[in-house]
Amino acid sequence: MADQKFETPAFREYREIPALQPDSMVHLQPFVAKPDHNKPLDFPGELVDNWEQKAVEKLGELLEKNKALRVYLDSCVKCGACTDKCHYFLGTKDPKNMPVARQDLLRSLYRRHFTLAGKIAPGLVGARDMTKELLDDWYKYFHQCSQCRRCSVFCPYGIDTAEISMAARDIMDHIGLGQKYCNEIICKVHVIGNNLGLPQPALLDTLEGLEEDVLDETDVEVKYPLDQEGADVLLVTPSADFFAEPHVDGLIGYGKVFHQAGINWTISSYASEAANFGMFIGSYEQMHKISNRIRQAALDLGVKRIVFGECGHAWRVAYAFLNTLAGPWDFLDPKYPVPQHMLEVTNDLIKRGAITLDPEANDDKVVTFHDSCNVARATRMGDMPDGQFIIPREVIKASVNKFVDMDPQTIHEKTFCCGGGGGLLTDDLMELRVKGALPRMEALKDVVDNHGVTHLAAICAICKSQFTKVMPYYGFSMDMVISVHQLVGDALQLGAKE
Amino acid sequence: MSVFFAILFYVATIVLVVGLALRIKTYVATPTWLKIPVTPAPLTKSGVAFRLFREVAFFESLFKSNRWIWIFAVLFHAGLALVILRHVRYFQADVWLVIELAQPFGIYGGMAMVAGLLGLWARRVVQQRIRYISGVSDHLMLALLVLIGVSGLSMKFVAHTDIIQVKAFFLGLMRFNIQELPADPNLMVHLVSVAVLMMIFPFSKLLHVAGVFFAPSRAQVDDAREKRHLAPWAAFMDDNR
């Protein structure tokens, strides 16, 4: 990249853990939200006058509301097990990107105000008052965490830095220091219904375009319905699926699957977004509001099932939170879990023989699969605990003859984040995104060199966008990234069913 | 002197028991805002119990993450467990058979405990990343535990104390009848440092002992699609939608 102001990290030959480079990322922070992005979300427009005190008060409130936060802030013994587990640390070498050091930015304030030791002897236990210096570190380093939960897998006490980052971002929002990228997007969802701000006519236009494309290509009239009352299935998919590459090919794939299985489905323009950025900013209220658009759409359209498209953090909110935030689902068909993942639907159809795939259609590809962090460590698919690893691979293997997994240390529950999750998929953080992708790129390089892998299949809108953007920095073509449902769509035998 | 130690241990015991009970009460009383088990997670309560058991008994996650820390941590904690078993006899007039049998292992436990602590401490000094995250209290905590271990072992290998009299003192304490305590310096150091440890327990990172059972990432059942998980403070939002 000719115009870059930073160096793309070099592949580490022996995956050695880097020596610390203090403050190597202290220069990087995302754009601050403007009053226009904050006020509609009931956050103060800009940093309030008594923000030091307000921050402590908000922390106190969260401690009452969230057991995880309280237990995690108490439990850490500084054993160091997490220090080499974060992709951002491995890629940036900045010690404050070690999970425990990131947590300590919040823990130091907690200890000062909410523990006896921190009140009596702050110096002894690393307790600190809220200062501009500490707040600056918060804003920088809590926006260098993608809430991927990899550290929590390795922590002997299950401490999840994602919870701590969410709490810190929630506190910052409540003192008027929000992040522009997330807050601006949430505003769009409330007004228009999706992150990208695509209004209903634009969606309709896009979907009609897709129908024409598929008809041209396959001679089959596959429908991509919008706001169709009485449909059986409401598909909620990340709005990037409507136009971004390679996302849109995934959406084409969902449509083909529904068509071939004879399932009557629709997209809702009111709830045309699977991603829920309320989670990134740690706001239960925002998550609740955004989630209930889906409930409303399901009621308005009179659907029987809700199915989510390929998206990682979205599937976390959908799988783990949606029932809590927007349930109960007593008005939907009790035969199906609510919500279902598109991969669960496709996998069932394949297993039942309701659709037929010809993997030879993808014989020009050797495919590997990137486990999205939040799908892997915060959700499940199917009815067995490892379903989120098994089902995507089963579907890929039914669609492709040549499949190779990456290094076992980098897949399943140990998967590395793509580097762009958790509200960091913004150009103002490009340096972080490139550096954070290092561990995944190294694992990809191995299978490309040793197994001739040509495509990296993903099931998350953020992963897909992030990879297409950062892979060229590592010498890979952006065309290597592919949606799992593109593989399915290309292998699907349309119209062959009797 | 004996009165001083008697008061010290009464106070230490109260601080430990009440402090820990209050902390656990807080943990129990605080709701979890959402379903956040780290997956793959068990689908049943008994599965979760087994997951926590593996975590507490074998340090499963630590084993996955760092073999050296795991070895030292197991040496220390398993050693400490044996040492505690050995010490039970000072609180029993009639000693149980299992405690009798554990006596010789308690000595090895004491050695393993100190070895593990020194290993953990060495990592804290030598390993750059862990040095960076270590605070003063982290070093002091190790110093205190090593002091307890070494002063204890010294009574076995260097200068014996009148252990019969020590036992009489503690049995007396349990019956509110203060007995004479031998005035040996290593015993004094041992007892004072143990009492200090008991008193800082509920206010320090030693709370990990309780925290490990309450971390929602490990202690929750993976059943989010089957059961709603409404925190009491969030329930009102259902009415406003």
Side-chain angles (χ1 to χ4, degrees), chain A residues 367-371 392-393 396 403-406 456-459 484:
Chain A
V367 176
T368 192
F369 176 64
H370 167 74
D371 286 289
R393 285 173 174 78
I396 293 172
F403 174 78
V404 184
D405 252 326
M406 289 181 275
L456 175 66
I459 50 168
V484 168

Side-chain angles (χ1 to χ4, degrees), chain A residues 17-20 22 62-68 70-72 74-85 89 94-96 98 100-101 104 110-111 114-117 123-126 149 152-160 163 166 282-285 287-288 292 295-296 315-316 318-321 323-328 337-341 344 374-386 388-389 409 413-414, chain B residues 15 22-44 51-52 55-56 59-67 69-70 73 77 120 123-124 127-142 199-200 202-241:
Chain A
I17 301 157
L20 303 183
L62 294 179
L63 287 168
E64 302 287 320
K65 283 178 161 182
N66 185 350
K67 178 185 327 213
R70 190 179 277 279
V71 171
Y72 296 162
D74 274 346
S75 290
C76 179
V77 302
K78 313 291 165 80
C79 74
C82 63
T83 54
D84 57 348
K85 302 300 187 281
F89 169 68
D94 191 316
K96 285 178 185 154
M98 298 190 293
V100 45
D104 277 353
Y110 166 73
R111 286 195 168 161
F114 299 94
T115 69
L116 188 67
L124 216 57
V125 293
R149 314 189 95 192
S152 75
V153 169
F154 294 98
C155 173
Y157 314 109
I159 299 172
D160 181 5
E163 289 292 314
M166 286 178 203
S283 165
Y284 190 96
E285 289 76 12
M287 264 192 280
H288 186 268
N292 275 287
R295 180 185 181 86
Q296 195 56 50
W315 182 236
R316 179 175 191 189
Y319 173 84
F321 305 162
N323 193 12
T324 300
L325 295 168
V338 185
Q340 274 187 298
H341 196 283
E344 294 179 309
N374 271 249
V375 174
R377 289 185 283 260
T379 75
R380 173 161 55 97
M381 292 179 200
D383 51 14
M384 61 282 193
D386 285 330
Q388 69 271 34
F389 312 133
Q409 292 303 311
E413 67 169 357
K414 294 179 183 165
Chain B
V15 171
L22 287 176
R23 206 64 191 167
I24 290 174
K25 193 178 153 219
T26 309
Y27 290 164
V28 172
T30 311
T32 40
W33 68 327
L34 288 162
K35 272 275 175 182
I36 58 165
V38 170
T39 58
L43 310 187
T44 59
R51 181 185 203 179
L52 290 178
E55 218 41 85
V56 173
F59 303 173
E60 185 181 33
S61 298
L62 190 57
F63 187 78
K64 268 188 244 177
S65 59
N66 190 308
R67 224 42 65 83
I69 303 180
W70 183 83
H77 286 89
L120 291 170
R123 281 189 65 82
R124 230 175 245 302
Q127 168 56 256
Q128 188 196 26
R129 296 192 307 280
I130 306 184
R131 191 166 64 232
Y132 180 92
I133 58 167
S134 297
V136 182
S137 58
D138 299 309
H139 291 284
L140 288 179
M141 192 68 78
L142 283 163
M199 287 189 286
I200 60 175
F203 310 103
S204 67
K205 66 177 187 177
L206 298 178
L207 281 171
H208 69 277
V209 175
V212 68
F213 295 100
F214 289 95
S217 40
R218 297 265 163 75
Q220 283 186 334
V221 178
D222 176 11
D223 60 0
R225 281 194 290 194
E226 290 76 37
K227 283 188 197 153
R228 290 191 82 199
H229 181 87
L230 215 47
W233 56 264
F236 80 97
M237 291 184 208
D238 273 6
D239 304 329
N240 306 345
R241 64 186 181 193

